[in-house]
Amino acid sequence: MRVLFLLVFILSLLGAPFSSLAQNVTPLSELQWTLTNPNHSISVPGHVPSQAHLDLYDAQVVGDPYYGLNDFTLRWVAETNWTYTASLASVGISSNATSWLVFNGLDTFSTISVCNQQIATTNNQFRQYYFDISKAISHCNVPTININFGSAPNIADELANTSLNEPWKGSQLTSEFPNRWLIRKEQSDFGWDWGPAFAPAGVWQPAYVVQLSNKQLYVRNTLLDIYRQGQLNNLPPDQTKPWVVNASLDVLGDIPQDAGLLIEIKDASNRTVTSGVGKNVTVSGGAISGSIVVEDSAVKLWWPNGLGPQNLYYATVTVLNSGNTIVSSTKRTAFRTIVLNMEPISQRQLDQGVRNGNNWHFEINGHEFYAKGSNFIPPDAFWPRVTTTKIQRLFDSVVRGNQNMLRVWASGAYQPDFIYDIADEKGILLWSEFEFSDSLYPVAESFLDNVREEAIYNVRRVNHHPSLALWAGGNELENLELYLAKLLDPGHYSRWQKEYETLFLDVLLPVVYENSRSISYIPSSTTNGYLSLNHSAPHPMIQRYNNETEGYIYGDTDHYDYDSTVAFNLSSYPVGRFANEFGYHSMPSLQSWEEAVAPEDLHFNSTTIQLRNHHYPSGSLNTTNLPNSTKGMAEMTISVELYYPTPNKADSRANFSAWCLATQIFQADFYRSQITYYRRGSGMPERQLGSLYWQLEDIWQAPTWAGIEYSGRWKVLHYIAKDIYSPVIVAPYWNYTTGDLTAYVTSDLWETVHGTVDLTWYDWSGNVLSNVTKGPSSVAFTVGALNTTKVLQTNTKSLGRSVDLSNAVLRMNLTTEGHLPNNETATTFTHEFFYHPILSLGKARLVDPGLKLTFNDDDDDDDAAAASPAFTVEATNGVSAWTWLDFPSGVTGNFDSNGFWLVPGEPKTVGFDVKNDTTGGRWVENVTVSSLWDFTTP
Ligand SMILES: *[C@@H]1O[C@H](CO)[C@@H](O)[C@H](O)[C@H]1NC(C)=O
Ligand SMILES: *[C@@H]1O[C@H](CO)[C@@H](O)[C@H](O)[C@H]1NC(C)=O
Ligand SMILES: *[C@@H]1O[C@H](CO)[C@@H](O)[C@H](O)[C@H]1NC(C)=O
Ligand SMILES: *[C@@H]1O[C@H](CO)[C@@H](O)[C@H](O)[C@H]1NC(C)=O
Ligand SMILES: *[C@@H]1O[C@H](CO)[C@@H](O)[C@H](O)[C@H]1NC(C)=O
Ligand SMILES: *[C@@H]1O[C@H](CO)[C@@H](O)[C@H](O)[C@H]1NC(C)=O
């Protein structure tokens, strides 16, 4: 009773105003900034947050960095120092307070002066920096702030010349600017195979002047760790245990040694759910920490998209001293467990037919699920212009695309909180990574210390987000970097492996384990996992690497094969527990190209387009070096020539547009083949439980692996991925060498469902071919939870004796009813797949399908029609393959289905979700429809 009374008393205090204790925080964005180069020949208005390129573009000193070949012509911007200056007079800095500068992100090498006195230098884009400027201010009449950014490419080169502790060069992948691995800056700023190399500089995240009087505190970072009592990283917890909410505030100012914590949990409507005085409170190193226990019944679980609701809560953590509130911090959070389970395959699993080895799958709230998604790269080369609206639209496309997980690729940058917030709301799990990629990294003490600070800040900052799914040390390290080192430098391999373990197991793993018990860690995006895991051992994870037992299956897979002759050869795909990367590049649409290149450059192999294709990267700053790009252009061309009729139109713009589309069709076709293969693996001995393709979206307008273009326009891939990530699918699996043809139904529901698949053969004119296969044309099936079942077994060689395979397609139509996880309402699931028994549609007896398109004009309700217009497409004369609805520039949005097939007599109505329209609704008049047939017409 007394405890309760005390709590009520404290809670009543919380509501009381403590205006005398209010901190004085001034965002640096409010100052009038000037950006200058060293000789002051350029002096323009600057901004915070911003980057020099953006401010120069704003001031019309440079053109649009994304236009034409400006990524090459603007190299000088990256090679110059840029200084941001402002007067602090308007801040009203008081001399009796302690004044701090707090930067949530400086990109990257800066020298900071206040009142002409040097305060600090910085060298890490990913750290939060805070500096006491009280002394500098006290000797100053006209307070100014001056931030001089050095050129990152120049500094990286200097480090390469002076560093005694360089990693081995033999496996370092350079795109354009060299030596990225020596500096802590977004690695793709120096170029990548899908993006430009701008190496920007500036205050890229919010920054503040914070003034604290005696006893005031400022919360610079908040850690919330919510886990099941007894939970340990990487291991499935006991779901019957109560929750522990562990809170830790990093503050500026002196925390009284006898301070207490109050932790209060509110629901989304801010009704208090539970609260308590923090237990085990500790004060050390500028942080105050404590925890409470929350009964399981007090809160509802958070689930990813498609698996249940996204229940969110607010947690308010208040520092109390002698009954007074000193400071408090509120974070939106949720209750869920997410574990990457890499434990050995159990006897129970062996009995179910799972192949021996280890697991490699995610479990949400104790449930295995199929991870469906893609890889998220930086959405722009310039982070300060990435808006909430842009990410909301992008993540809306993720949800509409039936995806539940994105892998936030390293590197990239650690995502700002607003991006995790949107993922929290939409139920998108973010597999997150430290910013290390396709390189070995230095292990000098100063480098490791710098990395440790960066990791501590970011692990603590984002841990409260329920969307955070994993921490991985970096990209393609174990499977590519260590592999290359072993292959090319076997004599020193043990050194390279030891250095890898120093950074990824001795520095980064402890940062995760010491700050979070809720999140799993892996050292490399692709990994065979651990031999042993012991949290109390000095080295908790002992890696397996290639210590494999014949016939066992271990880790996740990363697969690229640019020899498109094997694209549909299923035996060329890897067999693993999870696919974290796979893909092939394609061209963006004509509309995207028109944003970025001049009309005369709109040819498939124009110099500008080739030089914007960075697959394969030039490997240097050489901008005239076309051979590598040419290989990539040829790969796209060959894959189209192999599998489809090739466009050859008289009108060069139309021909270019058709070729762009053709490369997208191959891309989508190839990804679909792999996704069906991986998904079917959920019911195969590999018990495969995830497929994340490369890559979700574009950083700019160029040929890349993306499914969504820079403007938000969906390529064929995103529509096809949406289709094939439906909960219950039917798909063919064809060995075109032996003729063996099967079809399987695959379900990622959490319950067994029963349904039917109708199998109907047509000729290309749309006539039903009877008696192609013996046996029923409608097959009843039962498919278990996260499982697969065969619905067809035949052979095309024998079919070919009675039917012309070039004039036949098999339509598979699935219908079933079931429940999405955590959903009481039954849903009808349908899925359709058109299979063609010849490998190349270029050799099929296509006919003109006679497509008709009508806009479903709804005169009664113009507003509704404008927000979600619909179109009807009909094939009047034959089967329409890869039917493609195209919409003009000026509108942002997507059809709800595209790239589909049609048979005559079955019109299809397709809606369009308008996200932004600058045409006043007139865009609907310029929607067009085509199909593969149109590639054959002049
Ligand atoms: C450019 O930046 C570097 C690194 O911060 C610094 O050492 C150098 O003095 C700067 N040069 C000028 C001219 O500002
Ligand atoms: C500083 O002192 C002045 C005058 O004594 C007072 O008005 C002001 O509130 C003080 N400022 C802070 C931040 O404590
Ligand atoms: C609840 O509180 C949070 C943070 O204090 C605030 O952002 C949010 O808008 C509030 N929600 C409602 C429904 O009042
Ligand atoms: C406080 O620490 C003790 C001893 O380590 C532990 O048993 C207890 O669960 C902790 N309490 C909370 C709320 O974390
Ligand atoms: C290989 O793995 C086995 C366990 O599967 C372990 O006992 C052995 O020590 C490992 N060998 C090496 C060289 O790591
Ligand atoms: C583009 O150039 C490559 C390399 O020269 C060539 O192989 C390919 O056929 C060309 N593609 C088209 C569509 O013209």
Side-chain angles (χ1 to χ4, degrees):
M1 270 318 260
R2 274 211 301 276
V3 173
L4 193 64
F5 176 78
L6 177 69
L7 197 62
V8 170
F9 170 70
I10 291 169
L11 284 174
S12 69
L13 280 177
L14 275 180
F18 287 93
S19 50
S20 61
L21 285 171
Q23 315 138 358
N24 186 344
V25 177
T26 311
L28 292 188
S29 58
E30 290 176 4
L31 307 185
Q32 300 290 311
W33 291 90
T34 303
L35 172 69
T36 52
N37 63 348
N39 68 11
H40 290 255
S41 61
I42 297 171
S43 181
V44 299
H47 301 90
V48 167
S50 187
Q51 284 162 326
H53 285 81
L54 295 177
D55 289 333
L56 294 171
Y57 178 35
D58 247 23
Q60 306 282 300
V61 173
V62 301
D64 179 354
Y66 273 15
Y67 196 78
L69 298 178
N70 281 349
D71 58 323
F72 299 149
T73 56
L74 294 181
R75 293 255 205 254
W76 65 272
V77 179
E79 286 159 355
T80 309
N81 278 32
W82 293 101
T83 299
Y84 281 87
T85 48
S87 163
L88 288 168
S90 62
V91 178
I93 297 184
S94 148
S95 54
N96 53 356
T98 308
S99 299
W100 298 82
L101 279 176
V102 178
F103 294 97
N104 286 347
L106 288 159
D107 181 12
T108 289
F109 297 95
S110 76
T111 304
I112 302 162
S113 306
V114 169
C115 301
N116 290 322
Q117 299 160 66
Q118 184 173 320
I119 299 293
T121 61
T122 72
N123 64 352
N124 189 330
Q125 176 180 1
F126 309 121
R127 281 172 67 176
Q128 183 191 48
Y129 287 102
Y130 41 97
F131 308 111
D132 184 343
I133 56 168
S134 313
K135 208 165 135 230
I137 288 286
S138 66
H139 307 290
C140 176
N141 290 331
V142 187
T144 54
I145 176 167
N146 176 304
I147 310 172
N148 182 339
F149 288 96
S151 153
N154 291 347
I155 292 169
D157 291 348
E158 282 163 27
L159 287 171
N161 288 332
T162 56
S163 173
L164 298 175
N165 206 341
E166 255 214 90
W168 179 57
K169 282 238 167 72
S171 58
Q172 311 298 74
L173 304 187
T174 294
S175 284
E176 295 181 52
F177 290 114
N179 299 315
R180 61 181 168 83
W181 43 87
L182 300 178
I183 65 170
R184 295 310 299 144
K185 173 169 172 56
E186 176 160 319
Q187 302 281 278
S188 62
D189 283 352
F190 277 32
W192 216 263
D193 52 7
W194 35 252
F198 287 110
V203 183
W204 73 295
Q205 289 287 323
Y208 308 93
V209 175
V210 175
Q211 298 184 68
L212 300 175
S213 63
N214 194 19
K215 293 193 175 156
Q216 283 186 330
L217 300 177
Y218 171 76
V219 179
R220 59 173 184 83
N221 201 13
T222 300
L223 168 74
L224 272 182
D225 192 28
I226 301 183
Y227 54 90
R228 296 283 188 183
Q229 215 167 51
Q231 185 172 348
L232 293 173
N233 314 72
N234 289 74
L235 294 177
D238 181 344
Q239 299 290 336
T240 65
K241 293 284 189 209
W243 298 100
V244 176
V245 177
N246 183 30
S248 180
L249 306 183
D250 294 314
V251 302
L252 302 180
D254 298 322
I255 309 166
Q257 280 305 316
D258 59 347
L261 278 186
L262 185 78
I263 301 173
E264 194 182 8
I265 309 292
K266 296 176 183 168
D267 67 14
S269 338
N270 286 328
R271 275 187 300 261
T272 299
V273 168
T274 183
S275 71
V277 176
K279 298 279 165 23
N280 301 344
V281 172
T282 58
V283 175
S284 80
I288 178 165
S289 313
S291 49
I292 60 167
V293 170
V294 173
E295 289 312 316
D296 189 50
S297 57
V299 290
K300 295 194 183 107
L301 297 172
W302 180 95
W303 298 94
N305 174 37
L307 303 179
Q310 287 77 53
N311 294 305
L312 296 169
Y313 292 86
Y314 292 95
T316 298
V317 185
T318 303
V319 181
L320 299 166
N321 192 23
S322 316
N324 287 340
T325 294
I326 307 181
V327 76
S328 75
S329 171
T330 298
K331 294 287 167 190
R332 198 179 57 185
T333 187
F335 293 80
R336 59 90 182 90
T337 67
I338 179 78
V339 173
L340 172 56
N341 185 340
M342 298 192 291
E343 285 290 278
I345 295 297
S346 65
Q347 187 58 49
R348 186 184 55 83
Q349 289 177 299
L350 289 173
D351 295 344
Q352 290 169 342
V354 178
R355 182 75 54 79
N356 216 332
N358 58 252
N359 285 285
W360 209 109
H361 68 258
F362 289 90
E363 294 175 11
I364 181 78
N365 299 324
H367 293 261
E368 289 180 341
F369 67 100
Y370 199 90
K372 300 185 287 197
S374 52
N375 282 261
F376 181 42
I377 63 157
D380 203 292
F382 304 104
W383 278 100
R385 67 179 184 185
V386 177
T387 60
T388 304
T389 304
K390 179 176 176 110
I391 300 301
Q392 272 168 342
R393 287 179 183 164
L394 183 64
F395 283 10
D396 181 63
S397 292
V398 171
V399 168
R400 283 171 195 267
N402 290 322
Q403 305 192 10
N404 56 33
M405 183 181 284
L406 298 176
R407 175 179 158 230
V408 186
W409 169 84
S411 128
Y414 302 93
Q415 302 302 299
D417 280 283
F418 83 86
I419 292 186
Y420 281 100
D421 278 330
I422 298 169
D424 294 344
E425 287 161 14
K426 295 188 186 286
I428 302 168
L429 290 164
L430 298 180
W431 155 340
S432 301
E433 303 193 339
F434 296 99
E435 311 305 336
F436 300 90
S437 199
D438 291 339
S439 175
L440 296 172
Y441 282 85
V443 289
E445 220 35 66
S446 59
F447 186 87
L448 297 179
D449 289 345
N450 200 0
V451 166
R452 193 177 290 109
E453 289 301 321
E454 147 195 343
I456 290 171
Y457 169 60
N458 286 292
V459 165
R460 290 171 71 83
R461 178 176 64 84
V462 305
N463 201 70
H464 65 276
H465 294 284
S467 57
L468 176 66
L470 174 71
W471 279 112
N475 172 63
E476 294 176 321
L477 301 172
E478 181 180 317
N479 60 319
L480 182 65
E481 291 306 308
L482 291 182
Y483 166 82
L484 287 175
K486 195 173 216 167
L487 186 74
L488 303 175
D489 193 22
H492 299 109
Y493 177 69
S494 62
R495 174 178 163 197
W496 308 130
Q497 182 182 307
K498 188 166 178 298
E499 292 194 359
Y500 166 84
E501 296 192 344
T502 298
L503 177 52
F504 297 103
L505 292 173
D506 298 344
V507 172
L508 291 177
L509 178 143
V511 171
V512 177
Y513 281 19
E514 285 162 16
N515 287 286
S516 171
R517 291 173 68 163
S518 54
I519 298 299
S520 306
Y521 175 80
I522 50 174
S524 166
S525 57
T526 310
T527 175
N528 273 341
Y530 50 75
L531 279 175
S532 66
L533 178 68
N534 175 357
H535 289 74
S536 36
H539 301 281
M541 261 189 198
I542 306 299
Q543 295 299 289
R544 175 178 304 281
Y545 300 120
N546 295 318
N547 182 359
E548 295 163 297
T549 302
E550 177 84 31
Y552 282 31
I553 299 173
Y554 299 98
D556 57 341
T557 61
D558 173 350
H559 175 66
Y560 295 93
D561 192 337
Y562 296 104
D563 172 5
S564 50
T565 62
V566 297
F568 301 102
N569 178 345
L570 306 185
S571 67
S572 71
Y573 306 158
V575 177
R577 303 289 188 194
F578 194 106
N580 73 81
E581 274 194 43
F582 55 94
Y584 202 96
H585 51 306
S586 73
M587 294 281 265
S589 62
L590 172 68
Q591 292 88 331
S592 278
W593 278 123
E594 285 177 331
E595 293 167 16
V597 308
E600 63 270 24
D601 293 328
L602 295 172
H603 302 279
F604 195 88
N605 277 325
S606 73
T607 306
T608 304
I609 283 180
Q610 292 212 44
L611 288 173
R612 288 176 75 100
N613 172 39
H614 294 181
H615 169 69
Y616 298 80
S618 68
S620 72
L621 294 171
N622 187 350
T623 53
T624 56
N625 172 17
L626 278 176
N628 287 334
S629 163
T630 305
K631 283 183 218 157
M633 301 307 287
E635 286 168 357
M636 285 189 282
T637 310
I638 292 165
S639 59
V640 169
E641 288 167 349
L642 273 172
Y643 298 110
Y644 314 97
T646 48
N648 188 16
K649 295 189 180 294
D651 177 74
S652 93
R653 202 165 165 277
N655 197 48
F656 178 63
S657 181
W659 265 99
C660 290
L661 178 60
T663 66
Q664 291 188 21
I665 289 175
F666 169 73
Q667 179 193 33
D669 212 355
F670 185 23
Y671 285 47
R672 181 173 62 178
S673 180
Q674 283 190 70
I675 291 169
T676 55
Y677 181 82
Y678 299 135
R679 282 195 65 180
R680 186 183 64 162
S682 63
M684 296 290 176
E686 63 264 31
R687 184 62 172 163
Q688 209 278 7
L689 287 177
S691 108
L692 310 179
Y693 63 82
W694 188 269
Q695 67 198 56
L696 173 68
E697 81 324 348
D698 263 330
I699 194 171
W700 73 331
Q701 307 89 342
T704 74
W705 297 253
I708 299 178
E709 297 172 21
Y710 180 63
S711 66
R713 179 180 290 267
W714 293 14
K715 284 182 174 177
V716 182
L717 168 59
H718 201 77
Y719 289 106
I720 294 303
K722 172 185 177 177
D723 171 77
I724 211 65
Y725 280 150
S726 305
V728 190
I729 57 167
V730 59
Y733 300 85
W734 186 35
N735 182 331
Y736 50 81
T737 311
T738 63
D740 185 47
L741 171 66
T742 59
Y744 283 78
V745 168
T746 301
S747 166
D748 69 351
L749 298 175
W750 292 359
E751 64 179 17
T752 297
V753 292
H754 312 278
T756 54
V757 174
D758 290 336
L759 302 164
T760 316
W761 288 87
Y762 293 84
D763 67 16
W764 280 97
S765 300
N767 304 307
V768 173
L769 300 173
S770 40
N771 295 331
V772 176
T773 40
K774 293 191 192 78
S777 65
S778 182
V779 180
F781 69 84
T782 297
V783 65
L786 285 170
N787 213 332
T788 195
T789 187
K790 199 194 286 184
V791 290
L792 174 69
Q793 171 81 62
T794 184
N795 187 289
T796 52
K797 292 225 159 107
S798 49
L799 293 181
R801 288 195 278 273
S802 53
V803 66
D804 176 0
L805 297 180
S806 66
N807 193 17
V809 298
L810 171 59
R811 180 193 196 186
M812 308 179 191
N813 246 311
L814 171 151
T815 310
T816 184
E817 194 169 286
H819 298 84
L820 289 165
N822 295 301
N823 192 326
E824 277 166 23
T825 316
T827 307
T828 300
F829 299 99
T830 59
H831 187 251
E832 183 171 78
F833 203 118
F834 279 85
Y835 159 79
H836 45 90
I838 52 169
L839 199 49
S840 171
L841 284 172
K843 300 197 175 102
R845 294 178 187 250
L846 302 181
V847 302
D848 180 354
L851 286 174
K852 261 180 34 192
L853 172 70
T854 40
F855 171 51
N856 302 354
D857 207 351
D858 181 355
D859 290 334
D860 298 338
D861 189 350
D862 278 343
D863 287 348
S868 53
F871 303 82
T872 300
V873 201
E874 184 176 0
T876 59
N877 191 51
V879 174
S880 173
W882 294 102
T883 314
W884 183 247
L885 289 157
D886 200 22
F887 61 95
S889 310
V891 65
T892 309
N894 59 274
F895 294 103
D896 45 47
S897 174
N898 214 345
F900 47 82
W901 291 45
L902 292 170
V903 294
E906 293 186 32
K908 184 179 172 83
T909 296
V910 181
F912 188 95
D913 173 51
V914 180
K915 295 202 162 72
N916 191 39
D917 177 14
T918 61
T919 73
R922 283 202 304 281
W923 66 275
V924 298
E925 296 155 19
N926 295 314
V927 170
T928 60
V929 67
S930 68
S931 75
L932 211 57
W933 168 257
D934 293 85
F935 291 166
T936 70
T937 63

